[in-house]
Amino acid sequence: VWVGARSKESSDDLGIAPGDPERSALVARISSRNPSAQMPPMGTHLVDDEAVKLVRAFVEELSAPGRRVANLP
């Protein structure tokens, strides 16, 4: 996974915007239960608030586009 990469939804959205969880599609998608946007796409009707908090903290700690993030599934 490369941080600073554009998401598939829009060339303006960053999949992960280093240091800016509000611009990160990943944070938006795990925070959503909209069927067309939520991640994971099926199997849950509730947002995992603890997971969102951890991912937001991770994104906030990233600093530079192009930084390699290792060992992510």
Side-chain angles (χ1 to χ4, degrees):
V1 172
W2 288 94
V3 299
R6 301 286 175 200
S7 72
K8 292 180 182 178
E9 288 76 32
S10 167
S11 61
D12 294 333
D13 294 336
L14 291 173
I16 300 174
D20 193 352
E22 298 305 316
R23 287 185 50 225
S24 298
L26 174 64
V27 175
R29 293 191 67 193
I30 66 170
S31 300
S32 175
R33 289 303 94 181
N34 177 331
S36 66
Q38 78 181 42
M39 189 169 80
M42 296 174 24
T44 180
H45 299 287
L46 300 173
V47 172
D48 183 341
D49 293 327
E50 187 63 26
V52 172
K53 190 167 134 181
L54 290 171
V55 171
R56 286 184 66 83
F58 167 76
V59 171
E60 288 172 352
E61 290 178 10
L62 296 173
S63 60
R67 178 178 168 189
R68 180 76 175 146
V69 179
N71 300 323
L72 291 179

